[in-house]
Amino acid sequence: MSQVEKKAGLLRRTSSSKKPLKEKVVLMYDEIFAKEDPAKNNPRFWDELFLMKVNLEYLESKLESVDGEEVQRIQDNINSLFHHCVQALGEEHQIKVVNALQTLCALFRGVHQKNKSASGFDIINMLMGFDKAEQRMKDLMERLDGLLCGDSSESLKSLCLKLLLCLVTVTDNISQNTILEYVMINSIFEAILQILSDVSSRGQHGYDAVVLLALLVNYRKYESVNPYIVKLSIVDDEPTLDGMGMVVHQALTEYNRQYKDKEEENQGGFFSTLTSMVGSMFIADVDEKLSVQTNEAILLALYEAVHLNRNFITVLAQSHPEIDIPVTPTTPTPTTPTTPLGTTPPSLDMMNNPELPLDPNLQTSNLLITFLKYASIVMQDTKDEHRLNSARLCLIILTCIAEDQYADAFLHDDNMNFRVNLHRMPMRHRKKAVDKNIPSRPLVCAVLGLCGDFLCRRCVQIIHKLLCYQKKCRIRLHYTWRELWSALINLLKFLLSNETTLLAKHNIFHLALLVVNLFNMFITYGDTFLPTSNSYDELYYEIVRMHQVFDNLYCMVLRVSTNTGQWKEAASKVTHALVNVRAIINHFNPKIESYAAVNHISQLSEEQVLEVVRSNYDTLTLKLQDGLDQFERYSEQPKEAAFFKELVRSISLNVRKNVSLNTLSQDVLLKEFSTIS
């Protein structure tokens, strides 16, 4: 008995005394893997094969076990199997179509698994014959397109999408999957759009369609013209864009709900009582218990839509009632992927009912709010690689949004206020905000709050872009700017405290320059966007109060810029950028000390310091600095190319695993179609 047969568990025992019998379909597979044409002695061989229940495991194992010379010997039969699979997709007999689709899955997976080191051309040759490949793939894509766009059953459409996801993800690096050249030539883009634009099909297949589109967009995107990129960038059909937004929104909502459920679960009972007694001993345990698997595939789809299609920006702003997906467990349909926690496709009920009556007393939400909540969760813990990638991608998406004029207008619209309950890390100096206490404000306040909580280079750049828009349009945002100034100063303190460690790996002077120039934006242009003159006073108060940080920063950059070394030029730029901050400190500090001495006060109150500041503006001299309201626009290539390459590889591996886990519930499918037939 062969190892393959044992592994697959394909043998059926008639009794303990008799030899086990092979399933008929296994015997037919064995004929395909023999040298002779299987139809030579049985003209009805292929008709009979597709009436048999597919044994995926055995077929894949046989393909994987074929050796080099054997490949040549049976290639004609494998080519013939592929050809007859494609032909069977046109059959009226639905069971044949189901079996053909599943057989194609096994073929793609088995051949690639066996030939990981082979060139794409060799794999194409083994599957369909290189001289016939163009026609075979044209026929396959046309048949799949017809099934997806026609009146096929939902199970068949789901199976078609699973096959396409299987095809796209058979290689770790999708750009090395040469078969996808035929998917570029014979586009199924319109079929994907049709699924997304129709309420019913979107509910059933929207998740797979969006993930498939995101992956196809990333095929050789830097090497050649990808038609999916071109087509996605010009879509202006409102129902289609709304449908795509709905799929992304519900997937992110599902993640947020799962996190919230876990959070509430951990806040009750013995565990909560114990942690309140012993303080932070169990913080690591809490983080682990609250961990929900991120969904980079759906985030990638959101990124591509925001980055490539300016019309999609309007979808971010579509308001609808904020309601939770029902927690009541439902029995999944057989073709729904059994995905890990956090990556589950959204509830069909929610997907099927995008138009909901607006209750004036109900808090409204939109895709952007849901995305901001998602980002606030994943940014809390970035030790895990997937969460770090998720956080980085969230910030790249926010960068694209902050550069878009329409998005900026929506973010700053004072007539469109929202209550955004961001998840924030618990800290000693602040309590967890209660939902009803969160003010209703323009969405830009939530973006600034998120960036202020998770300050890094990208966050500082996002804040800068938003300030440039506020300065340009003279928008006086009522926001607690002191919180942001304090966070920025704390970031400088962190850089100073960890100078030696950080400089071994990073150019910290670039980040320091970005932070200092944010202060320069407030100093130079604050009169155009700060809400009141008091805000200006508070800015100067904060700079003077924390002068030691700026003094220490100046000493550090002066030391580095006057020595020969790797960071000389970068440090020198920070030295020049600090000129106005140091002018403010050197101007007001003596005045404050003099006021305290004259009035015999050992420690001035905030109001007294502010009074000194207000009284001494006239004698302050500042230098005009150019280019503060200019920024470098986001460009994926070349800076982010390596990140996206690895991200797509990770997503591809995850999708492949999930498609394999879900191999397509054959018993239920066959039962469904046998009753139809």
Side-chain angles (χ1 to χ4, degrees):
M1 190 190 305
S2 75
Q3 267 317 104
V4 171
E5 290 160 3
K6 282 181 184 176
K7 175 188 170 187
L10 306 167
L11 307 180
R12 187 173 64 244
R13 295 186 179 275
T14 52
S15 73
S16 57
S17 60
K18 292 182 180 178
K19 274 191 172 182
L21 300 176
K22 286 187 178 182
E23 297 174 60
K24 184 174 180 182
V25 73
V26 169
L27 292 169
M28 297 182 83
Y29 291 153
D30 286 344
E31 287 187 59
I32 294 170
F33 285 87
K35 188 176 180 182
E36 292 292 325
D37 176 1
K40 185 177 179 181
N41 297 319
N42 179 7
R44 291 188 47 78
F45 179 88
W46 299 111
D47 283 333
E48 290 175 10
L49 178 68
F50 294 112
L51 288 170
M52 300 282 161
K53 178 184 172 183
V54 179
N55 194 319
L56 287 156
E57 193 173 359
Y58 185 81
L59 182 54
E60 283 185 49
S61 299
K62 283 291 271 186
L63 287 162
E64 287 176 40
S65 66
V66 175
D67 290 326
E69 287 185 15
E70 221 178 337
V71 170
Q72 299 297 322
R73 185 169 55 79
I74 63 163
Q75 184 176 309
D76 287 346
N77 287 355
I78 299 296
N79 290 174
S80 192
L81 174 58
F82 188 94
H83 170 63
H84 283 94
C85 282
V86 175
Q87 293 298 104
L89 296 183
E91 293 273 1
E92 288 186 19
H93 203 308
Q94 299 287 276
I95 284 182
K96 286 188 175 182
V97 180
V98 170
N99 288 329
L101 286 167
Q102 297 195 77
T103 303
L104 283 166
C105 272
L107 272 172
F108 284 128
R109 283 204 293 247
V111 170
H112 277 87
Q113 194 63 29
K114 169 63 186 173
N115 298 278
K116 282 186 175 178
S117 60
S119 74
F121 299 112
D122 290 336
I123 286 172
I124 290 169
N125 202 35
M126 182 177 176
L127 272 173
M128 56 196 102
F130 199 71
D131 56 332
K132 297 172 184 170
E134 195 170 328
Q135 187 59 48
R136 295 280 185 268
M137 284 302 296
K138 182 174 185 290
D139 292 342
L140 172 61
M141 298 309 292
E142 284 178 355
R143 294 272 161 82
L144 292 176
D145 188 81
L147 288 168
L148 288 171
C149 296
D151 298 326
S152 309
S153 77
E154 299 305 330
S155 298
L156 268 185
K157 290 183 179 181
S158 182
L159 207 47
C160 288
L161 287 168
K162 294 295 184 297
L163 171 60
L164 286 163
L165 284 170
C166 169
L167 170 57
V168 172
T169 60
V170 282
T171 54
D172 292 354
N173 179 353
I174 66 169
S175 292
Q176 290 175 352
N177 186 352
T178 314
I179 296 177
L180 291 187
E181 285 296 330
Y182 301 111
V183 184
M184 297 294 120
I185 297 166
N186 305 286
S187 174
I188 49 154
F189 184 81
E190 285 71 22
I192 293 173
L193 293 198
Q194 184 171 316
I195 289 168
L196 295 175
S197 63
D198 179 76
V199 173
S200 176
S201 66
R202 179 172 71 237
Q204 296 281 340
H205 317 296
Y207 185 87
D208 282 349
V210 162
V211 172
L212 176 62
L213 179 59
L215 289 170
L216 288 171
V217 161
N218 280 275
Y219 174 72
R220 295 187 180 173
K221 67 187 326 187
Y222 309 121
E223 302 160 36
S224 58
V225 177
N226 180 321
Y228 290 85
I229 291 178
V230 176
K231 291 181 178 182
L232 179 57
S233 67
I234 58 174
V235 174
D236 59 0
D237 179 61
E238 200 172 317
T240 302
L241 294 173
D242 288 348
M244 190 183 300
M246 181 66 70
V247 173
V248 174
H249 177 264
Q250 295 306 331
L252 296 182
T253 298
E254 174 65 13
Y255 176 92
N256 295 348
R257 184 191 64 75
Q258 288 181 27
Y259 181 87
K260 186 178 177 184
D261 288 349
K262 280 200 161 195
E263 192 178 42
E264 289 173 356
E265 182 185 318
N266 286 327
Q267 282 171 356
F270 172 75
F271 184 80
S272 176
T273 308
L274 191 61
T275 48
S276 65
M277 287 167 57
V278 295
S280 60
M281 269 177 63
F282 293 95
I283 289 297
D285 292 342
V286 175
D287 289 343
E288 193 174 328
K289 282 175 177 286
L290 288 178
S291 179
V292 180
Q293 185 167 336
T294 51
N295 193 337
E296 284 82 34
I298 218 73
L299 264 194
L300 179 66
L302 175 60
Y303 164 75
E304 297 296 358
V306 168
H307 179 229
L308 294 174
N309 191 306
R310 292 208 63 203
N311 299 314
F312 188 80
I313 292 292
T314 61
V315 175
L316 296 172
Q318 298 279 352
S319 293
H320 54 77
E322 183 176 53
I323 58 177
D324 284 332
I325 294 175
V327 183
T328 312
T330 54
T331 306
T333 56
T335 52
T336 299
T338 51
T339 47
L341 191 64
T343 59
T344 333
S347 150
L348 297 187
D349 291 339
M350 290 295 295
M351 295 290 290
N352 288 334
N353 294 285
E355 299 300 329
L356 295 163
L358 282 169
D359 179 346
N361 299 314
L362 193 64
Q363 163 71 12
T364 55
S365 182
N366 55 45
L367 174 54
L368 185 53
I369 292 173
T370 303
F371 165 69
L372 290 172
K373 287 181 180 179
Y374 176 93
S376 72
I377 294 170
V378 297
M379 287 178 184
Q380 288 183 38
D381 174 19
T382 54
K383 297 185 195 79
D384 170 73
E385 184 185 357
H386 288 288
R387 294 173 75 83
L388 181 62
N389 287 341
S390 221
R392 181 171 175 179
L393 188 49
C394 284
L395 291 177
I396 292 174
I397 292 168
L398 269 180
T399 299
C400 295
I401 290 170
E403 287 184 7
D404 186 274
Q405 292 290 306
Y406 177 84
D408 281 330
F410 167 72
L411 285 172
H412 291 85
D413 191 339
D414 208 26
N415 296 313
M416 299 183 73
N417 295 328
F418 296 90
R419 222 173 253 112
V420 185
N421 184 23
L422 296 177
H423 292 263
R424 306 181 79 185
M425 285 288 279
M427 295 182 182
R428 293 177 186 275
H429 67 277
R430 72 179 181 208
K431 294 180 180 178
K432 185 174 172 65
V434 182
D435 291 20
K436 62 184 179 183
N437 293 335
I438 298 168
S440 188
R441 302 182 295 179
L443 272 178
V444 68
C445 296
V447 178
L448 289 168
L450 180 67
C451 291
D453 261 14
F454 191 72
L455 272 182
C456 62
R457 179 178 59 85
R458 293 176 196 278
C459 286
V460 175
Q461 289 173 322
I462 290 165
I463 293 166
H464 180 229
K465 292 171 200 286
L466 294 172
L467 289 183
C468 289
Y469 179 80
Q470 290 169 26
K471 179 252 176 186
K472 176 185 171 185
C473 300
R474 296 185 169 265
I475 294 170
R476 297 188 183 278
L477 184 68
H478 290 276
Y479 182 72
T480 314
W481 290 111
R482 286 180 79 161
E483 285 185 8
L484 178 62
W485 299 330
S486 177
L488 290 168
I489 292 169
N490 283 331
L491 176 57
L492 292 177
K493 283 170 74 175
F494 173 79
L495 296 180
L496 288 164
S497 302
N498 298 276
E499 175 195 348
T500 308
T501 309
L502 292 171
L503 272 180
K505 295 181 180 178
H506 308 286
N507 176 6
I508 63 172
F509 301 107
H510 177 60
L511 178 54
L513 180 64
L514 290 171
V515 173
V516 172
N517 276 339
L518 270 190
F519 279 101
N520 285 329
M521 273 287 289
F522 283 105
I523 293 165
T524 309
Y525 300 119
D527 60 329
T528 63
F529 61 83
L530 286 173
T532 62
S533 57
N534 284 346
S535 304
Y536 229 117
D537 303 337
E538 288 170 355
L539 169 66
Y540 281 57
Y541 171 82
E542 207 62 32
I543 291 172
V544 171
R545 185 177 74 86
M546 300 301 291
H547 70 89
Q548 195 64 56
V549 177
F550 293 105
D551 291 344
N552 291 344
L553 177 64
Y554 181 73
C555 290
M556 194 243 295
V557 294
L558 191 63
R559 168 171 45 84
V560 175
S561 64
T562 51
N563 293 328
T564 55
Q566 181 182 3
W567 309 116
K568 178 180 172 71
E569 188 180 343
S572 181
K573 289 179 181 178
V574 183
T575 309
H576 295 306
L578 279 166
V579 61
N580 282 340
V581 172
R582 297 193 71 244
I584 290 167
I585 293 167
N586 293 335
H587 176 74
F588 286 108
N589 259 354
K591 302 279 193 290
I592 291 166
E593 289 167 7
S594 173
Y595 180 91
V598 169
N599 292 280
H600 307 289
I601 303 170
S602 59
Q603 190 169 354
L604 299 183
S605 67
E606 180 178 329
E607 191 47 53
Q608 287 169 324
V609 174
L610 285 169
E611 184 55 42
V612 174
V613 169
R614 292 187 193 105
S615 305
N616 290 280
Y617 274 131
D618 293 347
T619 51
L620 174 65
T621 304
L622 298 174
K623 289 187 177 179
L624 188 63
Q625 293 177 308
D626 294 327
L628 292 174
D629 57 346
Q630 305 297 314
F631 58 82
E632 182 184 353
R633 294 191 68 82
Y634 169 77
S635 174
E636 182 182 317
Q637 170 76 339
K639 288 185 179 178
E640 306 295 345
F643 167 69
F644 278 103
K645 184 178 177 182
E646 285 306 308
L647 180 73
V648 172
R649 179 190 293 268
S650 172
I651 291 169
S652 180
L653 288 169
N654 197 42
V655 170
R656 183 201 306 168
K657 180 179 69 176
N658 291 331
V659 171
S660 298
L661 285 172
N662 175 60
T663 307
L664 312 164
S665 205
Q666 293 169 294
D667 291 333
V668 180
L669 280 168
L670 294 174
K671 184 179 178 183
E672 175 187 341
F673 292 114
S674 60
T675 54
I676 293 171
S677 305

